[in-house]
Amino acid sequence: MRVLAVLMVAVLCGMATAGRTKRYFFVNPDAPITLGFLLNMPISLALPTLAPVGGRSLQLYNLVEEEDDRPEELLWDSAYEQQLNRLIAYFAHLELPSLSCQERLLCELASTPESFSPIGQIFMKELRLLHGPVTTTADSLIWRYMSAAREGFASPLEVCATAYPNCPLAAERILNMPVLKVWQYISSKLNLQLV
């Protein structure tokens, strides 16, 4: 890439100095060249690998209290409907239907982002305020998700368990941690970034 840029500059300088003395450029063939590649992978391929095996979703229904709110019962802010749909799809891939467990997961992902990278980045990018203000009530689903992430940003990991006592599952039990470690290794070797 650098060589191409240097050659283009040389050609342009040669055209601009047509009647003047010529200047010569030296290109070092031993200089390192950095190449970048874009890998586009659907999230529907990565997220199911992080869901624990063993029928956890059936066990979760027995552990979570019946009084727990369901995401589909809350107010969906129309400006953030796309982000909410993606978040609900992510939680479905992780077999996590309970709102309190979703909130606890978001809290823990925000509390220690380096421990849960790159999955934490996937969730946190959906919680950006890109489409204006949100309704700040407990009935607003996007507000509940953002509040959970804000709680995690401001607190250590242990606070998330007390902030969301209706969910008995920590993020380490919700996510398949050995597979996450593989994703982290791949991410470190390939300099993987989520945009």
Side-chain angles (χ1 to χ4, degrees), residues 39-56:
L39 176 64
N40 190 2
M41 181 178 61
I43 197 69
S44 60
L45 176 68
L47 274 178
T49 63
L50 292 170
V53 293
R56 196 232 18 253

PDB file of all heavy atoms in Angstrom, residues 39-56:
ATOM      1  N   LEU A  39     -12.979  -9.489   7.283  1.00  0.00           N
ATOM      2  CA  LEU A  39     -13.673 -10.763   7.405  1.00  0.00           C
ATOM      3  C   LEU A  39     -15.084 -10.474   7.883  1.00  0.00           C
ATOM      4  O   LEU A  39     -15.276  -9.946   8.972  1.00  0.00           O
ATOM      5  CB  LEU A  39     -12.945 -11.678   8.392  1.00  0.00           C
ATOM      6  CG  LEU A  39     -13.607 -13.018   8.696  1.00  0.00           C
ATOM      7  CD1 LEU A  39     -13.662 -13.874   7.436  1.00  0.00           C
ATOM      8  CD2 LEU A  39     -12.859 -13.729   9.784  1.00  0.00           C
ATOM      9  N   ASN A  40     -16.037 -10.787   7.072  1.00  0.00           N
ATOM     10  CA  ASN A  40     -17.428 -10.534   7.412  1.00  0.00           C
ATOM     11  C   ASN A  40     -18.081 -11.872   7.729  1.00  0.00           C
ATOM     12  O   ASN A  40     -18.182 -12.742   6.873  1.00  0.00           O
ATOM     13  CB  ASN A  40     -18.130  -9.852   6.236  1.00  0.00           C
ATOM     14  CG  ASN A  40     -19.491  -9.349   6.598  1.00  0.00           C
ATOM     15  OD1 ASN A  40     -19.928  -9.469   7.736  1.00  0.00           O
ATOM     16  ND2 ASN A  40     -20.182  -8.774   5.632  1.00  0.00           N
ATOM     17  N   MET A  41     -18.492 -12.026   8.996  1.00  0.00           N
ATOM     18  CA  MET A  41     -19.080 -13.277   9.439  1.00  0.00           C
ATOM     19  C   MET A  41     -20.416 -12.969  10.104  1.00  0.00           C
ATOM     20  O   MET A  41     -20.494 -12.059  10.925  1.00  0.00           O
ATOM     21  CB  MET A  41     -18.148 -13.967  10.432  1.00  0.00           C
ATOM     22  CG  MET A  41     -18.679 -15.284  10.931  1.00  0.00           C
ATOM     23  SD  MET A  41     -17.552 -16.102  12.056  1.00  0.00           S
ATOM     24  CE  MET A  41     -17.435 -14.941  13.379  1.00  0.00           C
ATOM     25  N   PRO A  42     -21.463 -13.677   9.754  1.00  0.00           N
ATOM     26  CA  PRO A  42     -22.744 -13.402  10.406  1.00  0.00           C
ATOM     27  C   PRO A  42     -22.695 -13.739  11.890  1.00  0.00           C
ATOM     28  O   PRO A  42     -22.076 -14.718  12.300  1.00  0.00           O
ATOM     29  CB  PRO A  42     -23.733 -14.301   9.665  1.00  0.00           C
ATOM     30  CG  PRO A  42     -22.910 -15.318   8.984  1.00  0.00           C
ATOM     31  CD  PRO A  42     -21.545 -14.742   8.778  1.00  0.00           C
ATOM     32  N   ILE A  43     -23.328 -12.882  12.682  1.00  0.00           N
ATOM     33  CA  ILE A  43     -23.348 -13.086  14.129  1.00  0.00           C
ATOM     34  C   ILE A  43     -24.096 -14.364  14.475  1.00  0.00           C
ATOM     35  O   ILE A  43     -23.843 -14.978  15.503  1.00  0.00           O
ATOM     36  CB  ILE A  43     -23.942 -11.850  14.829  1.00  0.00           C
ATOM     37  CG1 ILE A  43     -23.595 -11.846  16.309  1.00  0.00           C
ATOM     38  CG2 ILE A  43     -25.427 -11.764  14.647  1.00  0.00           C
ATOM     39  CD1 ILE A  43     -22.169 -11.609  16.584  1.00  0.00           C
ATOM     40  N   SER A  44     -24.995 -14.782  13.592  1.00  0.00           N
ATOM     41  CA  SER A  44     -25.746 -16.012  13.840  1.00  0.00           C
ATOM     42  C   SER A  44     -24.838 -17.249  13.788  1.00  0.00           C
ATOM     43  O   SER A  44     -25.226 -18.313  14.237  1.00  0.00           O
ATOM     44  CB  SER A  44     -26.888 -16.156  12.836  1.00  0.00           C
ATOM     45  OG  SER A  44     -26.382 -16.194  11.519  1.00  0.00           O
ATOM     46  N   LEU A  45     -23.628 -17.102  13.274  1.00  0.00           N
ATOM     47  CA  LEU A  45     -22.671 -18.199  13.290  1.00  0.00           C
ATOM     48  C   LEU A  45     -21.895 -18.222  14.605  1.00  0.00           C
ATOM     49  O   LEU A  45     -21.643 -19.289  15.167  1.00  0.00           O
ATOM     50  CB  LEU A  45     -21.697 -18.072  12.115  1.00  0.00           C
ATOM     51  CG  LEU A  45     -20.574 -19.088  12.057  1.00  0.00           C
ATOM     52  CD1 LEU A  45     -21.137 -20.472  11.754  1.00  0.00           C
ATOM     53  CD2 LEU A  45     -19.560 -18.693  11.020  1.00  0.00           C
ATOM     54  N   ALA A  46     -21.542 -17.053  15.125  1.00  0.00           N
ATOM     55  CA  ALA A  46     -20.702 -16.973  16.326  1.00  0.00           C
ATOM     56  C   ALA A  46     -21.489 -17.169  17.615  1.00  0.00           C
ATOM     57  O   ALA A  46     -21.041 -17.877  18.517  1.00  0.00           O
ATOM     58  CB  ALA A  46     -19.982 -15.632  16.360  1.00  0.00           C
ATOM     59  N   LEU A  47     -22.647 -16.549  17.729  1.00  0.00           N
ATOM     60  CA  LEU A  47     -23.386 -16.590  18.996  1.00  0.00           C
ATOM     61  C   LEU A  47     -23.841 -17.980  19.423  1.00  0.00           C
ATOM     62  O   LEU A  47     -23.715 -18.311  20.602  1.00  0.00           O
ATOM     63  CB  LEU A  47     -24.579 -15.643  18.952  1.00  0.00           C
ATOM     64  CG  LEU A  47     -24.264 -14.210  19.344  1.00  0.00           C
ATOM     65  CD1 LEU A  47     -25.499 -13.348  19.220  1.00  0.00           C
ATOM     66  CD2 LEU A  47     -23.691 -14.112  20.726  1.00  0.00           C
ATOM     67  N   PRO A  48     -24.366 -18.825  18.542  1.00  0.00           N
ATOM     68  CA  PRO A  48     -24.768 -20.159  19.014  1.00  0.00           C
ATOM     69  C   PRO A  48     -23.612 -20.985  19.574  1.00  0.00           C
ATOM     70  O   PRO A  48     -23.825 -21.841  20.420  1.00  0.00           O
ATOM     71  CB  PRO A  48     -25.366 -20.823  17.768  1.00  0.00           C
ATOM     72  CG  PRO A  48     -25.810 -19.700  16.932  1.00  0.00           C
ATOM     73  CD  PRO A  48     -24.815 -18.599  17.169  1.00  0.00           C
ATOM     74  N   THR A  49     -22.396 -20.700  19.141  1.00  0.00           N
ATOM     75  CA  THR A  49     -21.260 -21.438  19.689  1.00  0.00           C
ATOM     76  C   THR A  49     -21.012 -21.066  21.145  1.00  0.00           C
ATOM     77  O   THR A  49     -20.371 -21.824  21.874  1.00  0.00           O
ATOM     78  CB  THR A  49     -19.977 -21.172  18.878  1.00  0.00           C
ATOM     79  OG1 THR A  49     -19.637 -19.787  18.969  1.00  0.00           O
ATOM     80  CG2 THR A  49     -20.148 -21.582  17.433  1.00  0.00           C
ATOM     81  N   LEU A  50     -21.500 -19.899  21.565  1.00  0.00           N
ATOM     82  CA  LEU A  50     -21.287 -19.441  22.936  1.00  0.00           C
ATOM     83  C   LEU A  50     -22.380 -19.890  23.898  1.00  0.00           C
ATOM     84  O   LEU A  50     -22.260 -19.718  25.101  1.00  0.00           O
ATOM     85  CB  LEU A  50     -21.167 -17.916  22.963  1.00  0.00           C
ATOM     86  CG  LEU A  50     -19.916 -17.380  22.283  1.00  0.00           C
ATOM     87  CD1 LEU A  50     -19.997 -15.877  22.146  1.00  0.00           C
ATOM     88  CD2 LEU A  50     -18.681 -17.791  23.034  1.00  0.00           C
ATOM     89  N   ALA A  51     -23.462 -20.437  23.368  1.00  0.00           N
ATOM     90  CA  ALA A  51     -24.532 -20.932  24.236  1.00  0.00           C
ATOM     91  C   ALA A  51     -24.096 -22.256  24.858  1.00  0.00           C
ATOM     92  O   ALA A  51     -23.607 -23.138  24.158  1.00  0.00           O
ATOM     93  CB  ALA A  51     -25.819 -21.131  23.439  1.00  0.00           C
ATOM     94  N   PRO A  52     -24.243 -22.383  26.169  1.00  0.00           N
ATOM     95  CA  PRO A  52     -23.847 -23.645  26.804  1.00  0.00           C
ATOM     96  C   PRO A  52     -24.701 -24.807  26.308  1.00  0.00           C
ATOM     97  O   PRO A  52     -25.874 -24.638  25.982  1.00  0.00           O
ATOM     98  CB  PRO A  52     -24.093 -23.411  28.282  1.00  0.00           C
ATOM     99  CG  PRO A  52     -24.212 -21.958  28.438  1.00  0.00           C
ATOM    100  CD  PRO A  52     -24.683 -21.417  27.134  1.00  0.00           C
ATOM    101  N   VAL A  53     -24.108 -25.970  26.247  1.00  0.00           N
ATOM    102  CA  VAL A  53     -24.836 -27.166  25.831  1.00  0.00           C
ATOM    103  C   VAL A  53     -25.421 -27.831  27.059  1.00  0.00           C
ATOM    104  O   VAL A  53     -24.987 -27.630  28.173  1.00  0.00           O
ATOM    105  CB  VAL A  53     -23.904 -28.138  25.077  1.00  0.00           C
ATOM    106  CG1 VAL A  53     -23.475 -27.547  23.758  1.00  0.00           C
ATOM    107  CG2 VAL A  53     -22.698 -28.494  25.909  1.00  0.00           C
ATOM    108  N   GLY A  54     -26.459 -28.605  26.867  1.00  0.00           N
ATOM    109  CA  GLY A  54     -27.020 -29.368  27.977  1.00  0.00           C
ATOM    110  C   GLY A  54     -28.409 -28.960  28.393  1.00  0.00           C
ATOM    111  O   GLY A  54     -28.815 -29.239  29.499  1.00  0.00           O
ATOM    112  N   GLY A  55     -29.171 -28.277  27.532  1.00  0.00           N
ATOM    113  CA  GLY A  55     -30.557 -27.972  27.850  1.00  0.00           C
ATOM    114  C   GLY A  55     -30.737 -26.977  28.972  1.00  0.00           C
ATOM    115  O   GLY A  55     -31.619 -27.123  29.796  1.00  0.00           O
ATOM    116  N   ARG A  56     -29.916 -25.944  29.012  1.00  0.00           N
ATOM    117  CA  ARG A  56     -29.986 -24.967  30.066  1.00  0.00           C
ATOM    118  C   ARG A  56     -31.291 -24.166  30.049  1.00  0.00           C
ATOM    119  O   ARG A  56     -31.790 -23.777  31.080  1.00  0.00           O
ATOM    120  CB  ARG A  56     -28.799 -23.996  29.970  1.00  0.00           C
ATOM    121  CG  ARG A  56     -28.598 -23.204  31.219  1.00  0.00           C
ATOM    122  CD  ARG A  56     -28.501 -21.701  31.153  1.00  0.00           C
ATOM    123  NE  ARG A  56     -28.970 -21.018  30.020  1.00  0.00           N
ATOM    124  CZ  ARG A  56     -28.188 -20.455  29.113  1.00  0.00           C
ATOM    125  NH1 ARG A  56     -26.906 -20.566  29.201  1.00  0.00           N
ATOM    126  NH2 ARG A  56     -28.715 -19.802  28.106  1.00  0.00           N
TER     127      ARG A  56
END
